[in-house]
Amino acid sequence: MKPDRNKKKTSGGPANPSAPTTKRSTPAAGGSKRGSRGNSEDSEPTAGSEPVPVWLFVLMALMLYSGMSYLHTYGGGFNPKVYENFRSYKLVDSANPKSGPEMLIAKGEALYMVCAACHQVNGMGVAGQFPPLMGSEWVNEPNPARLIRIPLHGLSGPMQVKGQDWNSSMAALGSALSAEDIAAILSYIRQAWGNTAGPVTPAEVEAVIADTSSRSMDGSRPWTASELMSIEVAQ
Amino acid sequence: MTGMNTQSSETAAGQSPDQSAMSKSRVLEADKSCSVPVMFLLTWALAWLVGGGILAVVSSIKLHGPGFLAGSAWLTYGRVQPASIHALLYGFGFQAAIAVGLWMIARLGQAELMGRKGILLGGAFWNLGVCLGVFGILGGAGTGHPMLEMPGFVSPLLLVSYSLMGVWALITLHFRQVRSLYVSQWYLLAALFWFPWIFIAAQSSLVFHPVRGALQFVISSWYGHAVVALWLVPVALAVLFYFIPKLLGRPLHSKHLATFGFWTMALFAGWGGVQAGAPVPRWISSVCIVGGGLMLLPLIAVGMNWWFTARGAKPAQGDFVWGFIRFAAVAFFAAMLLDIGGRTRVIGEVTDLTVFSSGVYALYFYGVFGMSIAGAVYYLVPKITQTEWPSAQLIRWHYLGSMVGTVLITAALVVGGVIQGLRLNNADIAFVDALAKTVPFLGLSTLGGLILVAANVAFLLNLVRLLTVCCRCCCCLPWNGTANGNKAAAVGANL
């Protein structure tokens, strides 16, 4: 462990290739040519200072950019649910079976086109002609019993929606749409555009159909607002 | 670390004769101080290289001759294969890397290697750990995580003995006489710190507090990648950056380019391991693909640097060493390109779940790492032991054998993997038929493995013969004459 001691003992050492047996094979390694190469042999490597070519930085920028756009396109949005065969969560989602309410809502979104002709895609209705569904107390009523009746048999006469008076009539759609379709549409409008009511199940729609079997669905006996209000519903 | 790009790496060049004589004697001291610990680590490393190689051949034979040695549970494929990887990676890979790294740190800093007893102790425990690992795996206690198969109790032992050796590398570096750091030292220093990081991260989340399901796969794949990209490759680069300019007798083209290559590699090398198509969220394999693409940057920087350094030059010394170094340098590009290409979705779709990746690993391990280590060993052992290699013939055989063996294994597995993948993806071909077509390729890789074992036996034999020559004149036979008495005392004092 004492460096000084070593230094003295080995100072004559280096040019002293040890055993005679090695002579035959001296070309084996670089070390054998000791001396003949002089100083260069054992000098340690040094590095020049040429600059890094500018194009290498340009290339780096380009590659970082394309790496980022690759991740943007093929990274599945860094969503842990997106596996190899799908590019985005949307595709995964559409390829998967839905749970009850979610499936109803997704189906309702497509079927809402029937209502959108009058109430508009954004649910705002048309001033003076079609009342809004967005924020409507009729749509957002916790118990959907009254709401279900509106598309089933139609609605006409004076009514109030969001504090405004309306007096027009809406056709009955009950004969054109199944109970499940109506449940889907209503579930959709009850959570779209900031509405916050719960979904409507096909069973609830069927129960209303059973309760109102005396009323025809061809639009000949639409509800009036006061009729609807007189129905007893559990809140 | 910011100093590395501003300081120049002048050493011997441009010094007055006086200084140069001083640095020469410091280099000598540095070399000699390494002798005992480095030779200890190297001898064991080569023993593991041969032992692990034999296990690898056994496991490779089992792929095309499943009846071979099938009688004993200890020698089933599921145990022999990981045991061979473990022996080769931790027994040879780490030990040889540490041995060469310690020498390079002492040599480049022109400082004596510090803590030689600590290093010996660490080395002894490391070997104990590797040994327990191999027997643990063969005994059936493997963890099942590729590259981390050793039973859980072994890893703390490995980590502690690694630290025992690594600490002295840092201390030696700290007391270096040449203050500026050369490129090789950056890579060594980085690898020195990267390994405990990846090892602890992987061990703790796989073995000690296992994470859930698919995440285990992600971590173990990442570790398998990182141990190559953040340990084997940086160490090989340290060796290559050292020897290419040194043997050619020229300065390295540009330290700025080297800085660029180092930092881009440091940033992007870890982004890998999960093959496209793996059953995990797609962003993970996408990141690995992007990481592969970005690794082209260090590849280009390193390539330009070596190219402009080596263009038109002939090695001024050490023809044997140069042969190994040149092969390793070329293999580095081949392996990186295969690796990066194999990660892309187009190629990965074909090569995923085939022997392709084993071929790339073999090229990294034997071609890039093994060959650069061999070159370094042929250079440094005569310096630190003051003894010439006993047999040039054995070196020639080792060189030829490892070249042929590496090329054969790599080509067989890469080509075989592609063919296997194309057939697996073809729904008209039965699974068994697709596998049967790979058998000839597996046979070729076994042949390559056998040739490698033979070559490495030559390597080991030469080293052992050198050691007996060296020991006869110093320690083992002190009665052998007074002429060697000094040297014996010197070696004793070196401890």
Side-chain angles (χ1 to χ4, degrees):
Chain A
M1 276 293 199
K2 285 186 193 156
D4 322 11
R5 197 149 50 113
N6 293 347
K7 223 170 244 170
K8 271 176 220 147
K9 291 237 164 93
T10 54
S11 55
N16 178 21
S18 42
T21 47
T22 62
K23 266 195 184 138
R24 222 183 72 237
S25 51
T26 37
S32 63
K33 291 168 187 167
R34 196 172 279 156
S36 61
R37 304 264 177 188
N39 208 13
S40 78
E41 180 194 338
D42 254 348
S43 66
E44 297 307 299
T46 58
S49 47
E50 300 286 325
V52 181
V54 176
W55 63 262
L56 206 52
F57 287 105
V58 176
L59 183 71
M60 176 156 90
L62 279 176
M63 289 188 65
L64 282 173
Y65 176 77
S66 38
M68 255 148 58
S69 52
Y70 182 89
L71 283 181
H72 182 76
T73 323
Y74 298 98
F78 288 88
N79 188 319
K81 286 183 184 153
V82 181
Y83 279 52
E84 187 63 28
N85 293 335
F86 301 93
R87 275 204 191 172
S88 65
Y89 183 69
K90 218 172 166 186
L91 292 173
V92 177
D93 196 47
S94 63
N96 270 288
K98 300 279 178 313
S99 70
E102 271 174 19
M103 192 171 66
L104 270 186
I105 289 168
K107 190 178 177 190
E109 181 172 12
L111 285 173
Y112 175 72
M113 289 308 138
V114 176
C115 330
C118 299
H119 295 284
Q120 305 300 307
V121 179
N122 58 13
M124 305 267 271
V126 175
Q129 295 181 49
F130 309 114
L133 302 179
M134 178 170 107
S136 153
E137 62 273 25
W138 296 91
V139 174
N140 286 302
E141 211 181 356
N143 187 319
R146 292 187 181 111
L147 175 62
I148 292 169
R149 285 171 162 84
I150 295 175
L152 271 183
H153 309 103
L155 176 68
S156 79
M159 69 181 307
Q160 279 214 326
V161 181
K162 290 171 86 175
Q164 275 195 304
D165 287 322
W166 301 83
N167 192 351
S168 176
S169 76
M170 168 176 159
L173 294 160
S175 51
L177 298 168
S178 71
E180 188 183 310
D181 290 345
I182 288 182
I185 294 173
L186 296 182
S187 297
Y188 169 70
I189 65 171
R190 275 158 75 85
Q191 54 83 59
W193 322 300
N195 289 348
T196 53
V200 177
T201 64
E204 284 171 312
V205 178
E206 266 153 16
V208 172
I209 293 174
D211 280 354
T212 57
S213 53
S214 58
R215 200 177 271 259
S216 104
M217 292 190 204
D218 62 4
S220 55
R221 270 192 68 195
W223 297 95
T224 62
S226 51
E227 262 183 305
L228 284 176
M229 290 314 291
S230 63
I231 297 167
E232 293 284 329
V233 296
Q235 290 297 334
Chain B
M1 265 216 171
T2 46
M4 67 176 60
N5 34 8
T6 51
Q7 282 176 340
S8 90
S9 311
E10 283 159 35
T11 52
Q15 290 172 335
S16 71
D18 223 28
Q19 281 172 316
S20 136
M22 232 175 77
S23 95
K24 231 178 157 178
S25 85
R26 283 205 306 246
V27 163
L28 266 167
E29 291 306 320
D31 276 356
K32 277 191 205 146
S33 68
C34 290
S35 60
V36 178
V38 168
M39 289 311 287
F40 174 84
L41 294 173
L42 277 182
T43 314
W44 276 105
L46 294 199
W48 283 117
L49 178 60
V50 171
I54 292 171
L55 286 175
V57 169
V58 171
S59 79
S60 176
I61 291 177
K62 281 164 180 285
L63 283 178
H64 48 86
F68 180 68
L69 294 181
S72 146
W74 283 62
L75 292 175
T76 43
Y77 179 79
R79 297 189 189 180
V80 174
Q81 196 270 346
S84 77
I85 296 273
H86 175 83
L88 286 171
L89 182 62
Y90 296 96
F92 166 68
F94 277 78
Q95 210 160 193
I98 291 170
V100 171
L102 286 173
W103 171 76
M104 251 199 284
I105 284 174
R107 169 61 95 97
L108 278 168
Q110 299 188 1
E112 281 190 31
L113 183 61
M114 311 284 277
R116 297 184 281 263
K117 276 180 188 148
I119 293 169
L120 271 180
L121 192 70
F125 278 115
W126 180 271
N127 280 295
L128 180 68
V130 176
C131 208
L132 287 174
V134 168
F135 283 103
I137 295 168
L138 288 179
T143 59
H145 300 296
M147 317 281 244
L148 278 177
E149 291 269 0
M150 60 280 204
F153 68 88
V154 172
S155 44
L157 180 61
L158 288 182
L159 202 62
V160 168
S161 35
Y162 177 86
S163 319
L164 256 175
M165 299 185 274
V167 154
W168 292 109
L170 291 181
I171 295 175
T172 303
L173 191 74
H174 179 76
F175 285 110
R176 67 191 185 278
Q177 305 282 320
V178 178
R179 294 315 297 172
S180 58
L181 288 169
Y182 179 68
V183 188
S184 300
Q185 285 155 304
W186 315 343
Y187 281 106
L188 288 174
L189 200 62
L192 196 67
F193 284 108
W194 282 335
F195 171 65
W197 164 52
I198 60 170
F199 191 69
I200 293 173
Q203 279 287 351
S204 55
S205 52
L206 288 177
V207 180
F208 297 111
H209 303 286
V211 292
R212 282 187 305 154
L215 202 49
Q216 290 192 3
F217 163 80
V218 173
I219 292 175
S220 73
S221 310
W222 171 75
Y223 177 80
H225 163 83
V227 87
V228 173
L230 298 178
W231 174 265
L232 296 182
V233 168
V235 170
L237 285 180
V239 171
L240 296 176
F241 267 105
Y242 182 81
F243 281 104
I244 288 175
K246 185 185 182 82
L247 297 183
L248 296 177
R250 290 179 166 189
L252 182 72
H253 172 66
S254 160
K255 65 173 175 264
H256 301 303
L257 205 51
T259 311
F260 181 90
F262 175 83
W263 283 111
T264 45
M265 188 177 130
L267 277 176
F268 305 126
W271 302 18
V274 177
Q275 180 75 51
V280 294
R282 142 189 267 260
W283 68 265
I284 299 179
S285 51
S286 296
V287 166
C288 294
I289 291 171
V290 170
L294 290 171
M295 282 303 282
L296 287 172
L297 293 169
L299 194 68
I300 293 171
V302 168
M304 279 172 61
N305 221 346
W306 291 351
W307 175 256
F308 288 123
T309 307
R311 197 173 41 173
K314 279 244 162 65
Q317 50 164 322
D319 305 331
F320 279 99
V321 181
W322 177 245
F324 286 96
I325 295 298
R326 190 182 44 195
F327 185 95
V330 174
F332 169 70
F333 293 102
M336 288 286 279
L337 289 176
L338 280 174
D339 182 0
I340 295 170
R343 288 195 221 174
T344 58
R345 290 211 149 84
V346 189
I347 303 178
E349 229 163 51
V350 176
T351 57
D352 189 20
L353 303 178
T354 69
V355 289
F356 179 87
S357 57
S358 312
V360 177
Y361 177 71
L363 187 56
Y364 269 127
F365 190 81
Y366 292 116
V368 183
F369 178 78
M371 291 296 255
S372 43
I373 288 289
V377 168
Y378 281 124
Y379 181 87
L380 71 90
V381 167
K383 307 273 176 193
I384 64 176
T385 58
Q386 310 273 307
T387 311
E388 294 307 328
W389 287 101
S391 163
Q393 193 59 40
L394 284 178
I395 301 183
R396 218 166 286 135
W397 283 349
H398 176 216
Y399 176 62
L400 270 178
S402 41
M403 212 161 54
V404 172
T406 307
V407 170
L408 204 58
I409 293 193
T410 309
L413 294 180
V414 164
V415 175
V418 171
I419 291 177
Q420 184 188 6
L422 287 174
R423 287 176 165 268
L424 285 176
N425 284 359
N426 184 344
D428 295 336
I429 298 175
F431 182 71
V432 177
D433 295 338
L435 286 194
K437 288 287 184 226
T438 33
V439 168
F441 294 101
L442 297 174
L444 275 182
S445 89
T446 302
L447 183 65
L450 273 172
I451 295 174
L452 271 176
V453 169
N456 291 329
V457 167
F459 194 10
L460 178 64
L461 207 67
N462 219 357
L463 190 83
V464 170
R465 276 175 60 184
L466 180 143
L467 274 179
T468 47
V469 171
C470 171
C471 291
R472 193 178 300 138
C473 47
C474 38
C475 35
C476 307
L477 298 170
W479 60 84
N480 199 21
T482 45
N484 297 313
N486 280 353
K487 207 172 163 192
V491 170
N494 259 335
L495 255 184

